[in-house]
Amino acid sequence: MAQSTFSSRSPESKLNEFSERFIKQAGMIYPAKSSDQAVSIVGDLITRRGKGESCCSLVIELASGELRTNIAPKIPTTIKFEDVQKKGRELANIIDVGVTKADYAIAETGTIVDISYTDENRLLSSFTRVHIAVLEKSKILGKLEELSPQMKE
C-alpha cells in the first residue's frame, strides 16, 4: 500500500524532495528544460569546475517527446570515451571531469543511482575530481523500495 502512495507522487514533488536532500549532502542541482540547455549547463560546469582540465563523457541520451537525443557529442570533452575503454585506468588518472547519466535517483535519500556495467563507466563517476551526473526528472523515484522493480536481471 505505501509503495503505491509514493509511486503516485508527482515528478515535481519527488524532484523537490530529492533536490533538498541532495543539496544537504553537498550536491548541486542545475535544472534544465531542454537537452540544449543541459548541454549548455554541463559545458559551463566543465569550464568553471574543471578549470579547463581533461574531461570525458559517456553517451548520454535524453528524452525529447518521443525521441531520444544523444547530447554527448555536444559536450566539450578532451578525452574520448573510446580511448578510456582502450586504455582504462591509465587515462582515468588524468581525467579531471567525468560526465555520466544517472540511471535513477532516490528522493527520500537524496542519492543518485549509477548502474555501471563496465569498469570504464565506473571510473568516470568514481575517480574523477568532478562528477557531473545528468538525470531525467522521470527517473527520480520516491523511495528506495521503488528501485528493485526497475532493475533488469
Side-chain angles (χ1 to χ4, degrees), residues 75-137:
I75 295 172
T77 58
T78 56
I79 297 175
K80 294 180 181 176
F81 183 66
E82 296 79 24
D83 292 338
V84 174
Q85 289 176 307
K86 291 176 191 169
K87 297 181 181 176
R89 294 181 194 275
E90 177 185 328
L91 276 179
N93 291 332
I94 64 167
I95 298 173
D96 191 45
V97 179
V99 184
T100 65
K101 180 177 179 193
D103 294 292
Y104 296 96
I106 311 298
E108 76 173 344
T109 60
T111 55
I112 59 172
V113 178
D114 184 15
I115 304 168
S116 296
Y117 296 102
T118 68
D119 288 342
E120 295 81 20
N121 292 14
R122 198 170 7 267
L123 289 172
L124 288 183
S125 63
S126 302
F127 293 108
T128 55
R129 185 179 64 81
V130 177
H131 175 221
I132 300 170
V134 177
L135 172 68
E136 293 180 86
K137 184 169 34 175

Side-chain angles (χ1 to χ4, degrees), residues 7 11 14-15 17 19 22 29-30 42 50-51 71 75 81 88 92-93 99 113 121 135-136 151:
S7 297
K14 291 187 266 188
L15 173 61
E17 181 180 8
S19 297
F22 191 70
I29 306 284
Y30 301 90
V42 169
K51 301 176 186 164
I71 66 168
I75 295 172
F81 183 66
N93 291 332
V99 184
V113 178
N121 292 14
L135 172 68
E136 293 180 86
M151 303 295 292

